[in-house]
Amino acid sequence: MLDNKKSVFKLGRLSVALLIAGCSSMVMADKFSDAAQNWVGSEFTPSTLTEKQQMNEMSWFTEAAKPYRGMEINVASETLTTHEYESKTLAKAFFEITGIKVNHDLIQEGDVVEKLQTQMQSGINIYDAYVNDSDLIGTHFRYGKVVPISDFIAGEGKAVTNPDLDLQDFIGLDFTTGPDGKVYQLPDQQFANLYWFRADWFADEDLKKRFKAEYGYELGVPVNWSAYEDIAEFFTVKVKEIDGERVYGHMDYGKKDPSLGWRFTDSWLSMAGAGDKGLPNGLPVDEWGIRVEGCNPVGSSVSRGGATNGPAAVYATAKYVEWLDKYAPPEAPGMTFGEAGPVPAQGAIAQQIFWYTAFTADMTKPGPVVNEDGTPKWRMAPSPLGPYWEEGMKVGYQDTGAWTFLKSTPVDRRKAAWLYAQFVVSKSVSLKKTIVGLTPIRESDLNSQEMTDLAPKLGGLVEFYRSDAREQWTPTGTNVPDYPKLAQLWWQYVSEAASGEKTAQQAMDGLAAAQDKVMERLERANAQGECGPKLNPEKDPQYWLSQPGAPKAKLPNEKPQGKTIAYKDLIAG
Amino acid sequence: MNKKKTLGLSVYIIFLLLPIYWLLMMSFKDNSEILGGLSFWPDTFTFDNYMTIFTDPTWYTGYLNSIYYVALNMIITLTVALPAAYAFSRYNFMGDKHLFFWLLTNRMSPPAVFLLPFFQLYSSVGLFDTHIGVALAHCLFNVPLAVWILEGFMSGVPREIDETAYIDGYTFPKFFVKIFLPLIRSGIGVTAFFIFMFSWVELLLARTLTSVDAKPIAAVMTRTVSASGIDWGVLAAAGVLTILPGVVVIWFVRNHVAKGFALGRV
């Protein structure tokens, strides 16, 4: 009897406990779904999903995050409008919807790479995830320190992978895929470098007439470097002033600073036509001039089959120095990337061959290059091509900042960070994020009605991303075995040419030798396994120059007839 | 002659203050005006840059973090350096002169060489990304300097005062705190100022040994540089706010700084 009473009492206690637990979990569930409802209703609009689909996706996040609730994770990315939005708004939303607190740290791009490298080398967890440019894909797949997300999705991370992630919807997935076919990083934001010009000046009848009279063809979007050069000369030397203001036909930067390397490693050589055909980066020689055989980098000097100091690369470097000197504003050679970037928005530049769409948001603010109705006076268009360029080669650079997870991060923390990474690229939030930061990543967002409506204010951004041409703009590829070690060589050697200390040929010879030396060290240290560098023995450069493809022999005429196209025909075509 | 001197001095002071004036003016301009052209006074006066810093936790916690570890460093350094300096000033022991000189040579090593050892050590004992961690790292450079400065001030105090205190029945701790420290308080102030100076502007160690929780303001400032340009206005505002604590500290030790530069020797 007594026992019976006891068990009844126990049962009662248990049911009360269960009731309380049930109620509290209901309260919790309500708390998270209420938060989701709030965010979906207020912030995550527009979206390519219906509100119901968004709520379904959000409730999946709430549910999947249950085991990690109360956790605090740290992620790092560079400072861009897109990441600011993630750090300030999306991290807060993620916390309220999942209960996982994210410190989304914004630091300088160089610092992101430095912290990432420190973690890779020491094995000590500094951040739980990084948004790191896919330029490091060759580094990541060789060192074996990064978790390929395709492996993670199939294995450890299965339970925390959003069934609606839709990997194929990401336009930059090729760039984050290694030669082994594995996806190493998840794209988070993208921007390209394109040609930029003052459409209002190019449409001016008087200027058009003067240009035609001078050069014998129409003033328009340059198709080749000859035309770009002519237009640069026209505005800087012939036109000189528009509405009483001094104008220039070219803008660039040349300060001895690490950022000088970017404009080169970001495809300057491939625009001239230094590499081989084959997308995304050219095979066997890529836009850095590095030759790969199988998966092994075998050299960047012409004597080893590379093209870093080949005639096309030397031509590209010489043109950079010449145009900076002759056609850019006098202060440009003393500027860094960050200082030179906003200059076209000040209204004195007619065109820029190498302009990052990351500046679009700033360029659409009221000012000298924006009409009163908010539409821009400028347009972006595909970059002109150098004389060495051939059909089938990449045309320009496209940066893909992508989520990167290291093996040295404890699995639980990695899973929580993976949830956050998927959240900030989920279809529920990605269209809004694209509109805020103008760095599109999803095909579905690009094809949305909202982007169509926005297009007239973005000067050609939407048109570019919707066209097939965008496939020809790619980041640094897998031929580069150690991006941080090799990238830092470029600015040092290029600046020797920019300052006039050395000729373009001498500077590129030095660079090619320095790249080979780094790769030789990697080979000797055997740090990168079977896909690490295995340098070719040196041969007479003539041997390689007489083979088909890169390195290409010097052209007898590096300045063919200039060719332009009217912007309206370009869009129509 | 006098007029010439005044003129020369005025030109010199204007020359010195111009960058600070420029920084201050930049902090009240927006980026388009900063990049637009030369103006000595903001066309459109704005507090937006300061608002960004005061309303964004990642910005103002950078200041709080820096103040926190600089204060910790000052406390630790003075606690260690005061007795050490007293020992060097009052006692003779084997190798004391060599040891004293060796302390100063510690400052000759660039902080960069200590990055990796510190990083590994701190990560393995859980000091990575903590305020105390950065404070301890800065002690490596601050303790020797503090010992040197304090020793100078202490040697300026006659030994007879120590002896008189003992005759009067003071215990050593009581004498040290009640009589000796007040006698060298200006020296302590100057030492604290130098410790502050080093720790406040040091970036390399502080940046490498922190990630999120203890990130210094100097590291937060680097976020103004991005792929879409530099946020000059916010950077200038952060610069102005970074100078302010230094100005406050200098105000308190303004009468003793010259003596401090002589390492306390009179």
Side-chain angles (χ1 to χ4, degrees):
Chain A
M1 188 65 187
L2 196 69
D3 273 1
N4 246 353
K5 257 189 184 172
K6 256 188 182 173
S7 49
V8 168
F9 180 64
K10 268 187 180 170
L11 207 66
R13 253 189 350 188
L14 189 69
S15 48
V16 170
L18 282 174
L19 197 70
I20 291 170
C23 283
S24 70
S25 78
M26 268 164 62
V27 170
M28 291 288 269
D30 279 345
K31 184 179 129 188
F32 294 118
S33 61
D34 284 353
Q37 190 72 60
N38 278 342
W39 283 100
V40 165
S42 58
E43 184 64 35
F44 303 159
T45 171
S47 165
T48 51
L49 300 184
T50 63
E51 198 173 322
K52 193 167 171 240
Q53 286 170 321
Q54 281 180 295
M55 280 308 293
N56 281 343
E57 193 167 42
M58 290 302 116
S59 60
W60 177 85
F61 275 107
T62 307
E63 202 56 33
K66 250 183 191 168
Y68 315 100
R69 230 170 246 172
M71 206 181 241
E72 190 169 334
I73 56 163
N74 303 320
V75 303
S77 72
E78 63 173 304
T79 329
L80 271 184
T81 314
T82 301
H83 297 314
E84 266 167 28
Y85 180 66
E86 290 167 347
S87 168
K88 277 189 189 153
T89 308
L90 296 182
K92 190 165 174 259
F94 183 70
F95 174 59
E96 289 177 14
I97 293 166
T98 65
I100 299 171
K101 185 161 190 283
V102 181
N103 300 310
H104 188 140
D105 204 8
L106 301 180
I107 47 182
Q108 209 179 330
E109 188 192 356
D111 292 342
V112 176
V113 176
E114 189 192 302
K115 298 275 183 199
L116 181 82
Q117 270 186 299
T118 311
Q119 179 161 347
M120 280 167 69
Q121 283 161 13
S122 66
I124 295 161
N125 190 42
I126 302 176
Y127 286 100
D128 302 306
Y130 298 82
V131 182
N132 157 233
D133 286 353
S134 72
D135 294 324
L136 271 87
I137 183 72
T139 317
H140 289 334
F141 110 89
R142 284 188 178 87
Y143 277 114
K145 308 276 183 179
V146 165
V147 182
I149 60 163
S150 44
D151 286 359
F152 190 63
I153 289 170
E156 282 174 323
K158 204 171 186 178
V160 282
T161 298
N162 181 4
D164 299 321
L165 180 61
D166 194 2
L167 270 185
Q168 295 317 313
D169 192 36
F170 288 87
I171 56 173
L173 207 64
D174 283 353
F175 311 147
T176 60
T177 305
D180 52 4
K182 289 181 183 178
V183 181
Y184 280 78
Q185 301 165 284
L186 182 69
D188 183 81
Q189 47 84 3
Q190 270 179 232
F191 55 84
N193 77 50
L194 297 175
Y195 172 75
W196 179 99
F197 71 106
R198 283 294 294 271
D200 55 339
W201 294 355
F202 277 46
D204 185 284
E205 287 305 326
D206 179 46
L207 290 172
K208 278 166 83 172
K209 256 186 227 158
R210 281 174 68 185
F211 185 85
K212 181 96 189 267
E214 193 81 42
Y215 298 93
Y217 58 97
E218 296 292 336
L219 174 62
V221 175
V223 174
N224 56 14
W225 282 24
S226 299
Y228 181 84
E229 191 172 73
D230 291 344
I231 298 169
E233 186 192 53
F234 176 66
F235 279 101
T236 305
V237 182
K238 311 268 156 81
V239 176
K240 279 188 182 164
E241 279 191 2
I242 292 178
D243 300 333
E245 299 274 330
R246 179 76 173 99
V247 298
Y248 298 91
H250 173 63
M251 182 61 206
D252 212 327
Y253 60 98
K255 190 176 179 180
K256 207 169 195 161
D257 174 88
S259 67
L260 179 61
W262 301 351
R263 68 179 309 305
F264 273 78
T265 54
D266 292 1
S267 299
W268 184 241
L269 267 51
S270 73
M271 286 168 72
D276 265 316
K277 291 178 190 177
L279 292 173
N281 299 95
L283 264 178
V285 179
D286 72 348
E287 75 276 25
W288 284 46
I290 297 175
R291 174 178 285 268
V292 158
E293 280 165 14
C295 63
N296 306 109
V298 294
S300 65
S301 301
V302 176
S303 57
R304 295 183 199 269
T308 312
N309 58 339
V314 172
Y315 163 80
T317 312
K319 281 292 156 194
Y320 153 71
V321 177
E322 187 190 330
W323 293 347
L324 181 67
D325 180 44
K326 283 187 181 167
Y327 307 128
E331 59 273 20
M335 285 183 160
T336 63
F337 168 82
E339 289 156 359
V343 171
Q346 291 159 23
I349 306 296
Q351 57 164 3
Q352 188 171 342
I353 188 167
F354 202 85
W355 179 81
Y356 288 86
T357 61
F359 289 102
T360 311
D362 286 334
M363 198 70 94
T364 50
K365 286 177 188 162
V369 296
V370 177
N371 293 312
E372 276 180 6
D373 64 355
T375 53
K377 293 177 183 172
W378 53 269
R379 293 288 182 277
M380 54 181 90
S383 325
L385 302 162
Y388 290 89
W389 192 89
E390 290 164 70
E391 198 58 53
M393 287 181 64
K394 74 179 273 184
V395 179
Y397 176 80
Q398 187 165 189
D399 176 295
T400 308
W403 287 98
T404 311
F405 302 87
L406 296 180
K407 288 180 179 164
S408 45
T409 300
V411 173
D412 268 9
R413 300 189 68 82
R414 199 193 303 149
K415 285 181 179 170
W418 172 238
L419 279 170
Y420 175 67
Q422 293 174 94
F423 180 79
V424 298
V425 302
S426 65
K427 285 183 181 169
S428 293
V429 308
S430 75
L431 179 56
K432 178 64 186 283
K433 193 175 87 167
T434 303
I435 291 169
V436 173
L438 300 177
T439 54
I441 45 167
R442 281 187 179 273
E443 188 92 54
S444 53
D445 293 336
L446 283 165
N447 293 332
S448 67
Q449 183 57 41
E450 285 75 11
M451 291 308 277
T452 307
D453 298 342
L454 209 56
K457 291 200 166 174
L458 302 181
L461 182 82
V462 178
E463 290 81 352
F464 169 74
Y465 270 107
R466 281 182 179 175
S467 73
D468 295 338
R470 76 154 191 254
E471 305 277 336
Q472 295 173 293
W473 271 254
T474 69
T476 292
T478 54
N479 288 24
V480 180
D482 191 319
Y483 184 93
K485 279 197 180 80
L486 294 169
Q488 62 171 335
L489 300 173
W490 284 70
W491 67 274
Q492 299 174 38
Y493 285 92
V494 168
S495 66
E496 291 178 349
S499 63
E501 290 165 57
K502 292 198 172 149
T503 63
Q505 181 72 59
Q506 287 167 334
M508 297 314 270
D509 283 346
L511 174 63
Q515 284 208 128
D516 281 349
K517 207 167 176 185
V518 169
M519 291 200 281
E520 210 169 8
R521 278 214 306 272
L522 289 172
E523 182 180 0
R524 210 178 317 133
N526 199 20
Q528 299 194 316
E530 57 179 316
C531 286
K534 279 184 188 158
L535 289 196
N536 274 339
E538 289 199 78
K539 270 188 192 160
D540 179 1
Q542 274 315 316
Y543 166 78
W544 286 106
L545 290 171
S546 56
Q547 304 286 320
K552 298 166 186 171
K554 189 171 167 64
L555 289 174
N557 176 21
E558 286 179 335
K559 194 172 188 315
Q561 171 61 38
K563 239 173 106 182
T564 53
I565 181 170
Y567 183 68
K568 58 177 178 17
D569 297 338
L570 186 78
I571 295 290
Chain B
M1 185 66 192
N2 234 354
K3 264 189 180 173
K4 267 189 186 171
K5 258 189 187 172
T6 319
L7 185 73
L9 203 64
S10 309
V11 170
Y12 182 61
I13 287 172
I14 289 170
F15 182 70
L16 283 186
L17 287 181
L18 191 66
I20 294 172
Y21 169 78
W22 212 258
L23 184 73
L24 192 66
M25 285 307 110
M26 263 173 74
S27 71
F28 295 118
K29 294 176 183 176
D30 59 26
N31 282 325
S32 56
E33 191 182 338
I34 293 170
L35 294 165
L38 193 72
S39 62
F40 289 89
W41 188 257
D43 289 340
T44 42
F45 201 85
T46 174
F47 284 103
D48 285 357
N49 300 319
Y50 288 96
M51 285 306 287
T52 305
I53 293 172
F54 288 122
T55 55
D56 185 345
T58 46
W59 270 104
Y60 62 72
T61 51
Y63 281 102
L64 297 178
N65 286 338
S66 287
I67 290 168
Y68 187 13
Y69 71 68
V70 169
L72 268 178
N73 176 256
M74 283 161 73
I75 293 166
I76 297 168
T77 305
L78 285 176
T79 314
V80 173
L82 278 167
Y86 185 78
F88 279 117
S89 127
R90 292 296 190 259
Y91 303 114
N92 292 318
F93 50 90
M94 201 173 72
D96 56 350
K97 296 280 183 294
H98 296 99
L99 186 62
F100 191 53
F101 181 69
W102 177 79
L103 273 179
L104 197 66
T105 60
N106 272 6
R107 285 207 60 100
M108 291 178 190
S109 44
V113 299
F114 292 101
L115 284 182
L116 192 63
F118 267 132
F119 176 74
Q120 286 196 317
L121 179 71
Y122 280 13
S123 304
S124 50
V125 297
L127 280 177
F128 178 76
D129 202 17
T130 58
H131 299 94
I132 184 81
V134 183
L136 283 173
H138 286 176
C139 281
L140 179 73
F141 298 93
N142 278 342
V143 168
L145 183 73
V147 171
W148 264 72
I149 299 174
L150 288 170
E151 195 271 345
F153 279 94
M154 287 178 179
S155 296
V157 178
R159 273 167 195 268
E160 286 75 14
I161 289 181
D162 304 31
E163 285 154 11
T164 314
Y166 296 141
I167 291 166
D168 286 349
Y170 276 82
T171 59
F172 176 73
K174 204 172 165 190
F175 150 74
F176 196 73
V177 175
K178 290 233 162 174
I179 297 176
F180 195 69
L181 288 189
L183 281 173
I184 57 157
R185 63 172 186 273
S186 59
I188 296 173
V190 169
T191 312
F193 163 72
F194 278 104
I195 299 168
F196 168 87
M197 288 262 280
F198 173 80
S199 198
W200 185 250
V201 299
E202 199 283 329
L203 176 63
L204 203 61
L205 282 169
R207 198 187 62 169
T208 310
L209 301 177
T210 58
S211 58
V212 175
D213 296 337
K215 192 153 76 159
I217 182 61
V220 179
M221 279 188 204
T222 64
R223 65 157 53 196
T224 52
V225 182
S226 76
S228 54
I230 301 172
D231 196 343
W232 294 105
V234 174
L235 185 60
V240 171
L241 293 175
T242 311
I243 291 174
L244 287 182
V247 172
V248 173
V249 174
I250 288 173
W251 176 259
F252 283 110
V253 295
R254 66 194 183 283
N255 297 324
H256 308 289
V257 171
K259 214 175 172 189
F261 275 115
L263 296 181
R265 276 151 187 87
V266 281

